[in-house]
């Protein structure tokens, strides 16, 4: 049994990201990136909300996590071009990771 860590659920549930660093690396199966607001929905692409995602990524790095990282959001409306939306998500995740490890 391993964990799927979701930045959105952890943040809006009041779980400090610093606690992630205490989880053994082998217990983390996947990490999900989603931004948003602390009061709840909707989720948004990394960098488009107010969640402290740099701290989330830093805590993951502290565990030695090197597994799958996904962007998980639920757009209110269907994006007009899903491929372009996926590219925006990839670019947002890359920018976040670059900023967090710099």
């Amino acid at each position: 049994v391993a964990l799927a860590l979701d930045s959105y659920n952890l943040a809006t549930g009041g779980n400090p990201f610093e606690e992630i660093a205490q989880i053994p690396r082998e217990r983390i199966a996947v990490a999900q990136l989603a931004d948003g607001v602390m009061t709840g929905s909707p989720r948004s692409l990394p960098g488009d909300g107010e969640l402290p995602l740099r701290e989330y990524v830093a805590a993951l790095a502290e565990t030695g996590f090197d597994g799958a990282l996904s962007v998980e959001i639920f757009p209110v409306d269907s994006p007009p071009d899903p491929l372009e939306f996926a590219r925006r998500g990839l670019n947002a995740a890359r920018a976040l990771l670059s900023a967090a490890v710099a």
Side-chain angles (χ1 to χ4, degrees):
V1 174
L3 299 170
L5 299 179
D6 183 319
S7 61
Y8 179 84
N9 286 329
L10 289 168
T12 59
N15 301 289
F17 288 151
E18 298 83 29
E19 291 179 0
I20 293 170
Q22 305 304 311
I23 300 171
R25 160 58 191 108
E26 63 274 6
R27 298 304 305 239
I28 305 171
V30 64
Q32 298 174 329
L33 283 174
D35 213 336
V37 294
M38 292 302 287
T39 56
S41 291
R43 295 178 189 218
S44 58
L45 290 174
D48 287 351
E50 65 183 30
L51 302 183
L53 295 182
R54 284 188 187 184
E55 289 85 351
Y56 175 71
V57 171
L60 284 171
E62 195 171 327
T63 70
F65 179 75
D66 61 355
L69 184 66
S70 69
V71 174
E72 182 191 50
I73 65 162
F74 307 109
V76 175
D77 298 317
S78 295
D81 182 351
L83 181 57
E84 179 56 31
F85 190 74
R87 285 185 180 127
R88 284 184 47 221
L90 177 61
N91 291 335
R94 284 180 173 161
L96 174 64
L97 292 173
S98 294
V101 296

